[in-house]
Amino acid sequence: SCNKGIGETGFFCGFWKLLHVASVGFAEQQGGLMLRELHPNIRVFSPKEAGSVLREYMGMFFNCDKCSKRFMSQYDECKFNSCHRLTDETVDAPAESWAEFPLWLWEVHNDVSRSKAEREADFHEKYNRKAVAKKWERLMGAVYPHLDQCLSCWNADGTWDVDAVYNHLEKEYWTFGMEVGSKFESLLDHRDASVDGVSHGLDAYLGLGIVVLLTYFLKKYKIRASGRHKKDDENLFPRASGDGRIKYRDS
């Protein structure tokens, strides 16, 4: 669903989706605060800590040096007002402060998309491919979500309605945990129905494993008895031809 037939685009698309899922999940669970009832000793992360963890990951592990430097530079320079939006409060944090982390990440992603569209447009215009440049500006330069994806996310003056944007992000990246599809529901029912037969299944796998091992050792014994193992040992290494060069099967 990510590469849409365009090679080498799937990884970055999938990576951004993963970040959005994690960021919205962070906000929905309030950094772990919502899990305190089940796990009283769980550590609660503040929005600021979440941003710092993401910054460190981008700096140490992301496989695009230019991308990671851009991300860290923007974070350190408090772009998109991150220094004030991402608070270090946890237990006493107001409810709306948790949503700032996914909203900040959404703005970062839009900035990356805009920058990419501009670079592509400049490249095509440089070689007088204006039609292609306009296509890139129209298709890739559009920020997320598009008008046809979330009309309510836009105010009449062209600015964002951030509450609607968060609701869209929540629906897109988080409500899958609440609304389970019919096929997956059937899979869960099938799994539950087979719980009683788990022990029998294990016995079957154990028996199959014993048969495979016996077959392997029997075959090995026959090879030893026939002397074929000696011939195989002689062919483990290639022989040199008359001119001293080593010849392989594929040469």
Side-chain angles (χ1 to χ4, degrees):
S1 64
C2 265
N3 59 32
K4 298 179 181 179
I6 304 175
E8 301 181 0
T9 59
F11 170 78
F12 292 102
C13 167
F15 181 73
W16 275 113
K17 283 190 175 183
L18 175 62
L19 292 185
H20 287 306
V21 169
S23 65
V24 175
F26 171 85
E28 290 294 301
Q29 299 297 334
Q30 296 187 359
L33 192 61
M34 300 297 291
L35 302 175
R36 277 281 179 92
E37 185 175 348
L38 294 175
H39 307 281
N41 297 322
I42 193 171
R43 179 185 173 185
V44 179
F45 286 83
S46 68
K48 185 176 182 179
E49 285 179 305
S52 298
V53 168
L54 181 55
R55 182 212 180 275
E56 293 305 307
Y57 172 84
M58 294 295 292
M60 298 180 67
F61 301 109
F62 197 58
N63 64 348
C64 172
D65 187 61
K66 181 171 63 176
C67 307
S68 60
K69 287 182 178 178
R70 173 191 172 93
F71 185 93
M72 291 189 296
S73 175
Q74 288 188 334
Y75 185 84
D76 294 342
E77 294 172 6
C78 301
K79 288 291 182 69
F80 312 109
N81 203 24
S82 61
C83 292
H84 295 93
R85 296 171 67 182
L86 306 182
T87 69
D88 56 3
E89 296 184 59
T90 53
V91 178
D92 298 325
E96 62 273 12
S97 68
W98 300 103
E100 289 298 331
F101 180 58
L103 287 172
W104 163 75
L105 186 65
W106 159 71
E107 289 192 44
V108 173
H109 190 181
N110 270 343
D111 181 67
V112 172
S113 299
R114 237 186 330 257
S115 176
K116 182 177 180 180
E118 290 173 358
R119 291 196 306 272
E120 291 289 346
D122 291 343
F123 173 80
H124 290 300
E125 286 181 351
K126 181 179 179 181
Y127 293 96
N128 296 320
R129 290 183 282 193
K130 293 185 178 180
V132 181
K134 289 181 180 179
K135 181 179 179 181
W136 273 99
E137 288 178 346
R138 185 172 64 255
L139 298 180
M140 294 197 65
V143 292
Y144 175 83
H146 308 303
L147 278 171
D148 58 346
Q149 293 174 318
C150 181
L151 183 60
S152 62
C153 292
W154 296 82
N155 295 316
D157 59 356
T159 58
W160 293 104
D161 183 331
V162 292
D163 291 332
V165 169
Y166 181 80
N167 290 335
H168 180 79
L169 293 173
E170 181 185 34
K171 180 180 179 181
E172 186 74 13
Y173 297 108
W174 192 249
T175 53
F176 63 85
M178 303 175 187
E179 301 174 3
V180 180
S182 58
K183 291 184 178 180
F184 192 72
E185 193 74 58
S186 299
L187 179 63
L188 292 177
D189 292 340
H190 175 74
R191 186 202 63 177
D192 292 339
S194 63
V195 168
D196 295 335
V198 168
S199 60
H200 299 290
L202 290 176
D203 291 341
Y205 281 119
L206 182 60
L208 180 61
I210 293 175
V211 171
V212 171
L213 288 174
L214 287 175
T215 303
Y216 169 76
F217 285 116
L218 181 60
K219 184 177 179 181
K220 196 170 183 180
Y221 172 78
K222 288 183 177 180
I223 292 175
R224 287 283 178 181
S226 64
R228 283 175 52 196
H229 67 287
K230 295 182 179 179
K231 183 181 293 184
D232 293 338
D233 291 342
E234 292 175 357
N235 293 328
L236 285 176
F237 302 98
R239 293 184 178 182
S241 61
D243 57 4
R245 292 181 300 176
I246 295 177
K247 289 190 176 181
Y248 296 90
R249 178 177 297 176
D250 298 330
S251 60

